[in-house]
Amino acid sequence: MDKILITGNGPLQGEVSVAGAKNAALPIIAASMLSADPLHISNVPGVRDINTVLQLMSLLGATVERSGTDLSIDCAKVSSVHVPYEHVKTIRASILLLGPLLARFGEADVSLPGGCAIGTRPVNEHIAGLEAMGADIQIEGGYIKAKADRLCGAHFTLDVPSVTATENLLMAAALADGVTKLENCALEPEIADLTGLLTSMGAIISGAGTGTITIEGVKQLHGATHKVPPDRIETGTFLAAAAATRGDIRVLNTNPDFLHHVLGKLEQAGARLQLGPDWIQIDTGGKRCQAVNIHTAPHPAFPTDMQAQFMALNAVAEGSSTVVENIFENRFMHVAELQRMGADIELQGHTAIVQGRERLQGAPVMATDLRASASLIIAALAADGETTIDRVYHLDRGYANIDTKLADLGAKITRV
Ligand code: EPZ
């Protein structure tokens, strides 16, 4: 089991380049299932979740060719619609195959994802939307068994603006018979990107990036070439690490438009930001940040995937702050680990009250989920002494080579 060893070593400085977004690449890969022509995708992140979902695609009969961050997927010969539990339990995002398989083949047999560390992660919105499009769906033995000779266009409003439910329904509607109008869609940038891809495959979609998306179904979709957009959460993670260590870094190959609210919070914390078309410079002037209150909510508000990282920043900032997690019911597991490092955090339900400390103390800690791992790394970089982070396989699911990237910024970090 990989561990990461970090010794607090002062401010991060220099330049770092972010990879393509895991949460954009996953629906893009699922969309390849919608066509018998190949998709050619660039800027694919080398993270574990992508490797896992590509193994699953091959299992279903797709031809997957990869070289570096370039990927081509040919689903012409897909021969199975059965997505087994052992795959789905390791990568919940496999649920994104439900819509495409059903739309292309008229049936799908996808394991219910089950919960994960941060919450029960229901998929009722995915199912309700497909039923609205005429699918017959039975839940049997932990599997979603869906059938539809051809999905029909429908007018469906989501109860909550679920990211992957929006993506599943968007993909299914692209091949449905007639017009689908989806309301209360999630607004995350990855959805506008997926809409762009589907349009380049021949889909007829309007309202991309808004809460109401209208899709005129077509009989079939053709192949396309697409570049995965930059990872806004990896970007935010490096910016928070620079802020916590009173550093000065430039993040390259990113898009400042994707994380406007996070940037505003960093400026509120006292950091000075300069923005370019594809880069962000953060400079703390060597000063300790001010604590900032965080309230997670759907995009464009503060992203839940940045909550743990800002909890670490607040733990070493000046002043007290509240961090309210409104999206997931159990996304505070990093708190107990941060407390082992001396963080002063009190939990009251979905609210954490953080009193900033000048310095945290390095300690042996354990990663519990993807973004909690990032939070522990940030705290360790800003702490005195040595921290050992165990179970870093969580980290590898969503960050490629974060240890070498941080070492290039001056961190004392090794993987053991
Ligand atoms: C996506 O998960 C992301 N994953 C998550 O990133 C991210 O935290 C989340 O969106 C919120 O931004 C991918 O894109 C692969 P949701 P998703 O459906 O789609 C409720 C990471 O760290 N809900 O938007 O599963 C749900 O309980 C991961 O990279 C229903 O009630 O999240 C939650 O409270 C973690 N019914 C809220 O919606 C449903 O059918 C938002 O969940 C679906 C969701």
Side-chain angles (χ1 to χ4, degrees):
M1 198 83 74
D2 274 352
K3 292 183 186 201
I4 280 186
L5 219 53
I6 295 175
T7 304
N9 189 37
L12 293 182
Q13 291 180 323
E15 291 189 345
V16 63
S17 194
V18 299
K22 159 181 89 81
N23 290 350
L26 291 167
I28 290 167
I29 289 166
S32 67
M33 191 59 83
L34 287 167
S35 170
D37 296 340
L39 278 194
H40 300 289
I41 310 161
S42 59
N43 199 33
V44 178
V47 296
R48 188 191 296 260
D49 273 7
I50 297 300
N51 303 342
T52 308
V53 84
L54 289 177
Q55 283 159 13
L56 172 58
M57 296 294 280
S58 306
L59 185 81
L60 297 176
T63 306
V64 175
E65 283 161 24
R66 206 166 173 192
S67 108
T69 58
D70 290 336
L71 168 68
S72 71
I73 309 180
D74 184 340
C75 292
K77 297 192 179 62
V78 164
S79 52
S80 167
V81 294
H82 175 70
V83 180
Y85 176 57
E86 47 276 12
H87 267 86
V88 177
K89 72 180 175 188
T90 50
I91 163 98
R92 294 189 63 267
S94 315
I95 188 74
L96 285 169
L97 288 171
L98 175 62
L101 286 170
L102 181 58
R104 169 111 177 274
F105 299 108
E107 60 177 330
D109 181 19
V110 178
S111 166
L112 277 165
C116 72
I118 64 176
T120 53
R121 312 297 295 276
V123 290
N124 58 304
E125 298 271 30
H126 301 242
I127 291 169
L130 292 172
E131 284 177 330
M133 291 185 208
D136 168 47
I137 295 186
Q138 306 297 327
I139 307 291
E140 280 166 33
Y143 279 78
I144 303 166
K145 297 181 179 300
K147 282 197 186 324
D149 294 340
R150 190 172 180 204
L151 293 168
C152 307
H155 183 177
F156 180 74
T157 302
L158 286 93
D159 286 342
V160 291
S162 157
V163 172
T164 48
T166 302
E167 291 165 346
N168 238 333
L169 299 179
L170 199 52
M171 291 189 283
L175 288 179
D177 181 14
V179 177
T180 297
K181 184 174 181 182
L182 299 175
E183 296 204 76
N184 195 25
C185 294
L187 300 174
E188 276 69 4
E190 293 77 33
I191 287 162
D193 181 70
L194 176 64
T195 308
L197 166 65
L198 293 173
T199 304
S200 67
M201 293 171 72
I204 303 167
I205 304 176
S206 60
T210 74
T212 299
I213 303 177
T214 305
I215 308 102
E216 188 182 328
V218 294
K219 279 223 181 323
Q220 64 179 14
L221 293 170
H222 51 73
T225 299
H226 193 74
K227 181 176 181 185
V228 177
D231 193 318
R232 59 195 169 93
I233 304 302
E234 185 187 8
T235 302
T237 302
F238 281 115
L239 293 171
T245 57
R246 310 183 192 183
D248 170 8
I249 71 168
R250 177 168 292 206
V251 181
L252 306 173
N253 295 329
T254 186
N255 183 340
D257 298 343
F258 289 170
L259 64 169
H260 176 260
H261 196 46
V262 170
L263 300 181
K265 286 291 173 185
L266 288 166
E267 286 184 323
Q268 239 182 60
R272 203 165 61 79
L273 297 182
Q274 284 176 280
L275 308 184
D278 62 354
W279 55 268
I280 299 169
Q281 178 91 27
I282 180 169
D283 184 358
T284 59
K287 291 201 306 302
R288 186 181 176 197
C289 280
Q290 298 299 309
V292 288
N293 293 331
I294 299 296
H295 223 267
T296 68
H299 194 81
F302 194 91
T304 174
D305 290 353
M306 281 299 304
Q307 179 259 106
Q309 297 91 315
F310 265 70
M311 180 90 74
L313 177 54
N314 277 335
V316 294
E318 189 163 345
S320 66
S321 57
T322 55
V323 177
V324 186
E325 173 55 56
N326 296 303
I327 303 289
F328 290 114
E329 61 267 36
N330 188 34
R331 205 170 198 175
F332 278 153
M333 284 181 303
H334 40 287
V335 170
E337 301 305 305
L338 292 172
Q339 287 167 335
R340 289 177 48 72
M341 299 174 71
D344 180 349
I345 305 172
E346 184 197 340
L347 287 186
Q348 290 177 3
H350 283 203
T351 299
I353 298 157
V354 188
Q355 305 294 340
R357 308 285 296 269
E358 175 81 31
R359 305 297 297 181
L360 297 180
Q361 307 308 317
V365 291
M366 186 175 78
T368 51
D369 60 85
L370 169 54
R371 306 305 173 180
S373 322
S375 165
L376 298 177
I377 284 187
I378 291 171
L381 292 169
D384 287 332
E386 186 176 271
T387 299
T388 311
I389 303 175
D390 200 353
R391 301 192 179 181
V392 286
Y393 59 85
H394 290 291
L395 189 71
D396 297 334
R397 295 190 52 176
Y399 293 96
N401 317 312
I402 194 168
D403 39 332
T404 47
K405 289 185 175 184
L406 286 168
D408 291 346
L409 292 171
K412 274 184 83 174
I413 179 169
T414 48
R415 190 181 279 261
V416 294

